[in-house]
Amino acid sequence: MKKIASFTVNHLELLRGVYISRIDHCGDHSITTFDIRMKEPNREPVINTAELHTLEHIGATYLRNDPVLSDEIVYFGPMGCRTGFYLLMKGNLTPKEIMPLVLKLYSFMAEFDEAIPGADPRDCGNYLDMNLPMARYEANKFLAEVLENIQPENMNYPQ
């Protein structure tokens, strides 16, 4: 089988950051998939499932309620390897263009201190697997260490 695009990225040199994973075209429309990489693959411990699940619930809810960009959000969800998230947005966009949104998102998640959206048995298939304090810790760590002073090497995949 042919490798999919995400398996062609050199994960041995990949840093934490925000990258374009791929751009797909649907008729006259483009959809940009962003790789929001919170952990250096194979060099840092991955995000535990409870934290990842919590960030997914908070992040997806936040993005789909953004007063300006909610209609541009297609999907926000975790990577199977648990090193970050995929964010799919309408349009042919760059990491630099979405950085204000990503900064607002991670600031919101780092400070979130309410009931986790959708964390009840009616709304979620694994509602007990949540950890808000550690989710906030992970969001704040990524925000402070990467996003607030993001560099070009954190927005361009290694060759």
Side-chain angles (χ1 to χ4, degrees):
M1 277 190 277
K2 182 179 173 186
K3 281 186 180 183
I4 62 173
S6 61
F7 295 159
T8 64
V9 175
N10 184 349
H11 286 70
L12 298 172
E13 296 181 16
L14 185 58
L15 302 174
R16 297 179 295 165
V18 179
Y19 304 92
I20 294 174
S21 176
R22 59 186 290 155
I23 299 174
D24 294 293
H25 303 282
C26 303
D28 294 338
H29 305 283
S30 297
I31 297 174
T32 303
T33 299
F34 291 98
D35 170 337
I36 302 177
R37 192 67 61 152
M38 295 175 64
K39 301 289 182 176
E40 289 186 2
N42 306 307
R43 297 183 301 283
E44 289 186 276
V46 298
I47 306 167
N48 290 324
T49 58
E51 291 89 281
L52 198 68
H53 190 202
T54 304
L55 290 170
E56 174 194 16
H57 275 239
I58 297 167
T61 302
Y62 175 83
L63 290 167
R64 291 189 179 113
N65 282 282
D66 184 274
V68 177
L69 295 173
S70 63
D71 289 341
E72 307 307 308
I73 305 300
V74 176
Y75 173 77
F76 176 78
M79 296 176 179
C81 62
R82 300 181 2 229
T83 59
F85 289 88
Y86 286 116
L87 170 61
L88 281 69
M89 294 183 68
K90 295 176 187 175
N92 191 338
L93 304 167
T94 66
K96 195 171 189 172
E97 289 174 311
I98 69 154
M99 199 52 57
L101 176 64
V102 175
L103 283 164
K104 285 188 337 186
L105 168 65
Y106 275 83
S107 294
F108 181 81
M109 292 191 299
E111 297 171 9
F112 190 84
D113 197 24
E114 301 173 26
I116 300 164
D120 67 61
R122 183 181 174 276
D123 299 339
C124 178
N126 195 9
Y127 77 101
L128 293 174
D129 191 24
M130 301 277 184
N131 186 338
L132 181 57
M134 284 305 298
R136 291 178 58 188
Y137 169 83
E138 292 288 2
N140 188 60
K141 180 175 172 55
F142 184 58
L143 179 66
E145 294 179 2
V146 179
L147 296 177
E148 288 178 341
N149 189 29
I150 197 155
Q151 300 298 309
E153 61 267 21
N154 304 103
M155 293 187 283
N156 296 294
Y157 276 144
Q159 298 301 316

